[in-house]
Amino acid sequence: MNQFLFHRLKLGQWSSPDNFRCISSVSFSTDVRRQRLENLRSLRKGKAPTNSNDAIDYRYRGAPTETPFQNKHIKELWGNSVLDGEDERRKKDTSNSKFDVKQSIKWEKDSSKFVSFFDGVDAKMTKNKQASKPLLTNEGSHADDNPNEVGSNFSTLLDDILKSDSKPKHIEPIDQIDKTPSIFDLFPLKSTTINPNKYDKHSFDMYHEAMKTIVESDRFGRKDTRKPIKADVVEPVMSWLLRDERVLDYDYPALKNADKFGIGIDENDSDGSLSKEVNDGRQLNKGFRSEIYIKGTETSNFYSELKVQNENFRNKLNFSEEQFDLVERAFKNLASYCAKNSRSAPLTIAWEKIKEAGIIPSNDTLNVCLYVTSTVTSGVLSSALSGGLSSRGSKRQLSAVLSILGKDNDTNKEVEDENILEAIDFPTELALFHDLLYKPTEKSVSLRVKRLVSLGDASGAEHLLDSFPSNDDARLRTYLPVLKLYCEQGNVPAALRLFKCMRNEPTVRLEPENYVLMISTVAENGYFKSTSKPLEGAQNIGYRYAKGADLFDELVTEMSEDVLEISAASARRLHNALVEGLEGECFSDKAEPIHSLGGVVTRNEKAGDIDLVTSRVLIEKSTGNCPRTGVTLQLIKLEKAQQNQLHESLLELSKTRFEEFTGKTETRSQRNDDYAAEKLNEFALWLNKREGKPFTAIIDGANVAYYMQNFDKGCFNFHQIQFVVDALEKSHEHPLVILPYKYCTDSFMVSMGLKHFRQSLSTKERRILENLSKKGQLYRVPSRCLDDYYWMLASVSDQTKSRNGENLDVSHDDVRGRWPGTRPMLITNDQMRDHKLGLLEPRLFRRWTSCYIVNYSFTAFVRDASIDREISFSTADFFSREIQSNKTVTGTAWHFPVSDWGLDDRFCVRIPRVPANESASVPF
């Protein structure tokens, strides 16, 4: 191989593809390759490949006049065999090479020198070194001629310094020494001038695209009378709207003060104390806050600043009233465009132009902008001016450089913090702009709260929430950032106070994760310990206990009222928080924390009385027994008040569904909106007034008849209904079949998947309907009414007269062998996925399904034939799938259903009540 060429490639001097091809075509023997590899490793360390410790001089490279010296240098380092072997290789391989090697070598010698960046650095550094003065010089010596004498000269100098009280003459002061310039001094960065009025290119490109679509539309260039606007009126407006830089500066001190000191509340004018000017202004502009017309208020000052800016803008561009109306219309249309297309970046440029022109957008336009910024994420929402971004960025970069150099000081930090505080991000500025002119909304307050939270001002954010004029529109997203910040800061009293306020707000729906956040924060700060200090202010906001396991039980009790289940991640968070916060308590079995990627460990062995239990357990399905704590989980049934609530909800749902169904085919004058609710109420009265045997099973007839019938000869099978009725009667149940009215007629349309056909009743099918009707076990749901609401209501009906106060539920030791559970039970495989059922309260719906729903399974019928006449019923739950507590000897055992686990798995928690004398002896 051409080692000289390889050496030069290694040094970055050759970049021709032909040289790479040349190298790749050369073959090595094993010994030569190993030797070359060793030499290359030495070369990388900056040493000679031979045993010599002399460093390789990398400065000699590339010049044709230096080739003989380089050849000599290579011979000394690599040996004579390198060049000799290269000559022999040239003679042998000329015929097999892809191109003439001689031409390659000739090209190598004649090629121009390649000067890299580091060649220039070496040259400048050498030049500066020669021109600079050395740090230590020994007068009269020839240290430069003989480098080996430097060590002895330095020792002599050091002895002279130690013996002498004064500074030697031959040592120059440090501040007078010319230091060797750094690479940044030799190659200073090119200064780029930034136009502070220029808009951010990325945002402006999207704005330009959107605005161009708007201004080029026919609707924009016409008046309300549809007459086209003159070109000399439109063109200046379009030119300014599509301009990529600001033409007029603006400053709104009132907006900055509002961010720094907040915004006052619009007082209610119930006593008529406002002036006549204010009342007249309200009549003209009903959306504005009343303070706009009261001089000296922050709102009035901001309104005046906008008016002044508006006048300056019109004078600067000579815009008429008609042209300014076009500008306002363009931004109004742009806001609608961004909302429809879910794009927020164009608004950042539009917002800068709105402030530049002193425009006062309407309340509706600002609300649209607030909607876009609060729901659509964007890459650029801090500022639209490229200069502003660059200046802030340069200050932060300079601060970072000073910090690295050890020159950072308190002044720099204060300046940087002040710059961050002064820089208002676009969403916050938009919210402040809105709230200074109009009544604050939930969206505007949420954005301002996020701003304060980002600055770490949790108390200021909470104060803003408290000053919100009306909490009717408050949402979880409004409060949650403040709660999270309190928890991160470890301010448990403030977090608990805010959490209690959130629970009391009717419009705030707390999620399971919010409860886990609050309980975990209290646990991590040690307030569940028996020896903990009382949680400050807990009893003042309604809690009976302020520390220990009793406080935990009280918090989880609140959680169980609003939450049905938690996630696996929440279970892990609770486990780790309890393990951390209860460290040091006198427990016989101590749990270990779980890795963030791990899961809660299943432990089904019996726990000791004073063991801390935070584990996953498998509940015995048929008994509800917990193997870890020994308690039996309960089946929580609907109370009387909840049954009445379900009854009223079903009536309302039936009315709503009927309105939707008939609204497409009938006018309001033709339909009776209360028809469905009246018919459902008639069914409830029939159940309560009928005499005879009470129903213990309600059959969803349509669900049973369609079961497993999705095959070629499938149909609405009445024989399957009869089969289920017979099976229930053999089990000593008294069933009621509920069928939609159309299936009780002689013929009806059937829809199963892609199949649609008309089915006519056979003689056997008519006989089934007649027998059920004769025995009083069939109820026909009126046409245009949904049968789901009928069998749901029947399951919770009192059946007052037929029941006569009798409890229909079946115990575990029934003498006739009936399976235990609540009666009447509901026989259906319906998954309850109807979106309208979501209007029911989740806990109410969960308890109803747990207590009453019984699933079935059998082999499908073909008409009246069936291969297997066996049927199985999946009975209702023996224990409820919701958070519940059960007392033990040493504490309360809590069981949490987990959405990611099996139906019978629970997250079990028990904090034992450790006697005070035992826990006090344990060091913390």
Side-chain angles (χ1 to χ4, degrees):
M1 175 184 177
N2 188 344
Q3 296 295 338
F4 180 59
L5 178 62
F6 184 87
H7 181 63
R8 296 177 74 177
L9 269 172
K10 178 65 183 174
L11 297 178
Q13 294 179 348
W14 298 95
S15 59
S16 172
D18 293 336
N19 286 294
F20 286 101
R21 286 196 296 269
C22 177
I23 291 173
S24 62
S25 65
V26 177
S27 61
F28 292 90
S29 67
T30 305
D31 294 337
V32 173
R33 186 177 297 145
R34 185 181 298 108
Q35 183 62 37
R36 299 296 181 269
L37 182 61
E38 301 227 352
N39 290 341
L40 186 59
R41 288 174 180 167
S42 300
L43 194 66
R44 287 172 179 168
K45 296 179 181 179
K47 297 182 179 180
T50 61
N51 294 331
S52 174
N53 292 326
D54 296 336
I56 296 177
D57 190 355
Y58 290 100
R59 305 262 173 97
Y60 298 98
R61 44 188 163 179
T65 57
E66 297 172 350
T67 302
F69 177 81
Q70 288 178 337
N71 287 340
K72 181 181 178 181
H73 188 59
I74 291 175
K75 281 185 179 181
E76 292 176 356
L77 297 180
W78 297 75
N80 294 329
S81 60
V82 173
L83 295 180
D84 295 341
E86 179 63 23
D87 293 337
E88 293 178 5
R89 190 202 63 76
R90 291 176 186 172
K91 296 176 182 179
K92 294 180 181 180
D93 296 342
T94 50
S95 58
N96 298 328
S97 300
K98 295 183 180 180
F99 59 91
D100 193 349
V101 178
K102 293 182 180 180
Q103 293 179 3
S104 172
I105 300 301
K106 183 179 180 181
W107 175 85
E108 173 190 331
K109 293 180 179 180
D110 297 340
S111 61
S112 61
K113 179 182 177 183
F114 173 78
V115 181
S116 69
F117 169 78
F118 293 100
D119 289 322
V121 173
D122 291 342
K124 287 198 174 187
M125 294 292 286
T126 303
K127 184 177 180 181
N128 273 276
K129 185 175 181 180
Q130 292 174 354
S132 62
K133 297 179 181 180
L135 178 63
L136 295 174
T137 60
N138 193 355
E139 296 178 359
S141 66
H142 300 280
D144 294 336
D145 297 333
N146 188 359
N148 295 328
E149 297 180 3
V150 173
S152 60
N153 292 335
F154 182 80
S155 301
T156 305
L157 289 173
L158 186 61
D159 293 339
D160 294 341
I161 294 172
L162 294 175
K163 293 177 182 179
S164 177
D165 295 336
S166 60
K167 186 180 298 184
K169 297 180 179 179
H170 53 267
I171 300 181
E172 298 183 6
I174 296 296
D175 55 355
Q176 296 180 7
I177 296 175
D178 294 332
K179 298 182 180 179
T180 302
S182 68
I183 190 173
F184 299 103
D185 296 322
L186 297 174
F187 298 92
L189 297 177
K190 294 182 180 180
S191 59
T192 57
T193 58
I194 299 175
N195 184 359
N197 295 321
K198 200 82 170 179
Y199 296 124
D200 176 75
K201 186 178 184 306
H202 175 70
S203 298
F204 183 79
D205 289 343
M206 289 188 281
Y207 163 82
H208 187 276
E209 177 187 353
M211 184 58 75
K212 193 173 181 181
T213 303
I214 293 171
V215 298
E216 290 181 353
S217 63
D218 293 337
R219 187 176 181 182
F220 177 78
R222 295 178 179 271
K223 297 182 179 179
D224 296 336
T225 58
R226 297 193 177 276
K227 292 181 179 180
I229 304 175
K230 295 180 180 179
D232 59 343
V233 175
V234 177
E235 287 178 0
V237 174
M238 294 178 62
S239 176
W240 177 77
L241 288 173
L242 300 177
R243 191 183 181 97
D244 64 348
E245 62 180 352
R246 184 175 58 189
V247 298
L248 180 66
D249 291 334
Y250 57 82
D251 185 30
Y252 297 106
L255 200 60
K256 297 177 182 178
N257 292 334
D259 179 56
K260 188 177 296 185
F261 305 110
I263 300 175
I265 303 302
D266 189 3
E267 300 294 339
N268 188 9
D269 187 31
S270 57
D271 56 355
S273 58
L274 294 178
S275 64
K276 183 178 183 300
E277 179 185 0
V278 173
N279 290 321
D280 293 342
R282 276 188 164 178
Q283 294 298 325
L284 294 174
N285 301 290
K286 296 182 179 179
F288 283 137
R289 295 175 54 150
S290 62
E291 290 94 328
I292 283 183
Y293 309 101
I294 303 177
K295 293 183 179 180
T297 62
E298 54 197 3
T299 301
S300 176
N301 293 338
F302 181 56
Y303 186 77
S304 300
E305 291 169 4
L306 286 171
K307 287 294 186 181
V308 171
Q309 182 69 23
N310 181 278
E311 184 178 354
N312 294 337
F313 174 79
R314 294 193 188 194
N315 294 335
K316 175 82 174 179
L317 298 180
N318 295 322
F319 273 10
S320 63
E321 188 70 27
E322 182 181 10
Q323 288 174 319
F324 196 78
D325 290 342
L326 275 177
V327 171
E328 291 181 330
R329 187 194 309 174
F331 288 125
K332 179 181 179 181
N333 294 342
L334 180 67
S336 301
Y337 172 88
C338 292
K340 292 177 182 178
N341 295 276
S342 300
R343 301 176 65 183
S344 57
L347 284 181
T348 59
I349 305 297
W351 186 245
E352 294 296 327
K353 288 185 173 291
I354 286 174
K355 292 185 293 182
E356 178 186 357
I359 297 174
I360 304 178
S362 66
N363 190 21
D364 292 338
T365 302
L366 286 177
N367 282 325
V368 172
C369 295
L370 288 170
Y371 165 77
V372 174
T373 55
S374 62
T375 57
V376 180
T377 57
S378 175
V380 184
L381 283 181
S382 56
S383 175
L385 290 174
S386 59
L389 286 172
S390 300
S391 62
R392 286 198 297 271
S394 62
K395 290 179 181 178
R396 294 181 183 180
Q397 292 171 3
L398 178 61
S399 176
V401 172
L402 291 176
S403 177
I404 293 173
L405 297 177
K407 297 182 179 180
D408 194 12
N409 51 40
D410 295 337
T411 305
N412 292 328
K413 293 181 180 179
E414 291 176 0
V415 171
E416 183 177 357
D417 293 341
E418 185 178 353
N419 291 333
I420 295 174
L421 287 173
E422 288 181 355
I424 309 175
D425 59 286
F426 164 55
T428 303
E429 192 174 60
L430 177 62
L432 291 169
F433 195 103
H434 174 274
D435 291 354
L436 277 171
L437 298 176
Y438 305 101
K439 180 181 178 181
T441 64
E442 186 270 334
K443 287 185 178 65
S444 64
V445 172
S446 295
L447 292 172
R448 292 168 58 193
V449 165
K450 290 178 181 178
R451 158 75 171 172
L452 293 172
V453 169
S454 67
L455 298 175
D457 187 5
S459 59
E462 186 180 7
H463 177 72
L464 174 60
L465 291 174
D466 294 339
S467 64
F468 191 26
S470 175
N471 287 334
D472 295 340
D473 295 330
R475 297 289 185 270
L476 176 63
R477 65 180 179 183
T478 312
Y479 288 94
L480 191 56
V482 188
L483 178 65
K484 287 182 177 179
L485 182 58
Y486 274 138
C487 292
E488 291 172 1
Q489 295 174 346
N491 192 345
V492 182
L496 190 61
R497 182 185 67 249
L498 179 62
F499 185 78
K500 192 72 172 181
C501 177
M502 294 168 65
R503 284 198 80 239
N504 295 333
E505 284 293 339
T507 56
V508 176
R509 296 180 63 90
L510 291 170
E511 301 291 337
E513 293 76 12
N514 309 140
Y515 280 98
V516 172
L517 171 66
M518 188 68 254
I519 296 174
S520 298
T521 301
V522 178
E524 290 163 352
N525 286 272
Y527 286 106
F528 293 149
K529 288 183 178 180
S530 58
T531 56
S532 168
K533 294 181 179 180
L535 180 55
E536 182 182 355
Q539 294 179 330
N540 296 334
I541 57 178
Y543 291 100
R544 293 181 57 192
Y545 304 97
K547 69 171 185 175
D550 293 323
L551 177 60
F552 175 80
D553 293 343
E554 198 167 358
L555 290 173
V556 180
T557 299
E558 288 185 344
M559 179 179 181
S560 65
E561 295 173 358
D562 298 331
V563 174
L564 291 172
E565 59 189 11
I566 61 175
S567 64
S570 295
R572 179 176 60 245
R573 172 76 190 276
L574 272 176
H575 170 91
N576 290 338
L578 290 171
V579 170
E580 176 185 349
L582 293 172
E583 184 178 0
E585 288 284 76
C586 188
F587 299 140
S588 58
D589 184 15
K590 297 182 180 180
E592 296 293 332
I594 302 173
H595 189 271
S596 58
L597 299 178
V600 181
V601 180
T602 301
R603 299 188 64 180
N604 290 322
E605 69 274 12
K606 178 71 174 174
D609 290 339
I610 58 173
D611 286 348
L612 172 65
V613 177
T614 57
S615 56
R616 178 176 178 174
V617 297
L618 179 62
I619 307 300
E620 178 62 35
K621 186 174 183 179
S622 59
T623 62
N625 181 262
C626 172
R628 187 79 173 137
T629 59
V631 301
T632 300
L633 274 64
Q634 309 167 5
L635 178 64
I636 305 176
K637 302 179 181 179
L638 290 174
E639 300 174 356
K640 182 61 179 176
Q642 293 174 327
Q643 291 181 1
N644 294 336
Q645 182 183 350
L646 179 61
H647 180 274
E648 296 301 322
S649 299
L650 291 173
L651 291 177
E652 186 62 31
L653 283 172
S654 64
K655 179 180 178 180
T656 305
R657 187 62 174 263
F658 182 78
E659 290 176 358
E660 293 179 356
F661 178 76
T662 58
K664 300 177 182 179
T665 58
E666 301 177 0
T667 62
R668 176 169 291 276
S669 59
Q670 293 174 333
R671 69 175 187 262
N672 177 15
D673 292 339
D674 296 328
Y675 172 80
E678 292 172 357
K679 291 299 181 182
L680 184 60
N681 198 43
E682 288 179 8
F683 172 65
L685 294 174
W686 175 78
L687 286 172
N688 287 329
K689 292 182 178 180
R690 62 172 289 275
E691 297 179 354
K693 205 173 176 184
F695 297 116
T696 60
I698 312 297
I699 300 176
D700 180 3
N703 183 266
V704 173
Y706 276 122
Y707 177 70
M708 299 289 286
Q709 289 294 312
N710 193 15
F711 55 90
D712 290 341
K713 296 183 180 181
C715 63
F716 188 88
N717 201 309
F718 289 89
H719 300 281
Q720 292 187 165
I721 296 177
Q722 186 63 55
F723 176 64
V724 173
V725 170
D726 295 340
L728 289 171
E729 289 179 341
K730 288 179 182 179
S731 300
H732 308 287
E733 305 293 343
H734 185 55
L736 170 67
V737 179
I738 295 179
L739 275 177
Y741 182 80
K742 77 169 189 176
Y743 297 118
C744 300
T745 59
D746 291 337
S747 64
F748 47 85
M749 289 298 298
V750 174
S751 298
M752 292 188 299
L754 299 177
K755 294 195 307 179
H756 303 278
F757 60 92
R758 179 168 291 278
Q759 178 177 335
S760 299
L761 294 183
S762 65
T763 304
K764 290 182 179 180
E765 291 171 339
R766 287 195 186 93
R767 191 178 300 119
I768 291 174
L769 288 176
E770 291 173 358
N771 291 337
L772 290 174
S773 181
K774 187 181 298 183
K775 292 189 297 184
Q777 294 180 310
L778 176 66
Y779 190 88
R780 298 175 177 85
V781 177
S783 61
R784 301 184 298 175
C785 295
L786 187 65
D787 62 316
D788 294 18
Y789 302 144
Y790 283 75
W791 45 259
M792 289 177 68
L793 188 142
S795 64
V796 295
S797 174
D798 288 335
Q799 302 186 61
T800 309
K801 198 164 187 179
S802 60
R803 178 181 290 191
N804 196 22
E806 178 187 359
N807 184 12
L808 301 180
D809 296 344
V810 180
S811 61
H812 290 273
D813 54 352
D814 185 76
V815 294
R816 292 184 293 178
R818 299 167 65 193
W819 65 74
T822 308
R823 298 294 189 276
M825 56 186 173
L826 179 55
I827 310 299
T828 183
N829 284 343
D830 196 324
Q831 298 298 315
M832 311 292 176
R833 294 187 180 132
D834 192 314
H835 69 283
K836 286 298 178 184
L837 295 179
L839 296 175
L840 295 174
E841 196 272 321
R843 179 176 305 281
L844 184 67
F845 189 74
R846 175 69 66 85
R847 287 187 179 178
W848 172 75
T849 55
S850 297
C851 295
Y852 296 98
I853 298 295
V854 174
N855 300 132
Y856 60 86
S857 176
F858 57 83
T859 304
F861 281 61
V862 181
R863 295 297 179 178
D864 60 343
S866 176
I867 300 174
D868 185 6
R869 289 277 177 166
E870 293 293 330
I871 185 172
S872 62
F873 293 97
S874 176
T875 59
D877 295 340
F878 284 95
F879 51 91
S880 296
R881 185 173 168 77
E882 59 180 279
I883 301 173
Q884 61 173 280
S885 63
N886 295 277
K887 296 292 184 181
T888 66
V889 177
T890 57
T892 303
W894 288 94
H895 290 84
F896 300 79
V898 180
S899 56
D900 310 84
W901 296 352
L903 293 176
D904 299 326
D905 287 309
R906 297 290 186 274
F907 176 55
C908 181
V909 177
R910 185 194 64 187
I911 303 178
R913 267 71 170 175
V914 181
N917 56 355
E918 293 185 16
S919 60
S921 62
V922 180
F924 293 99

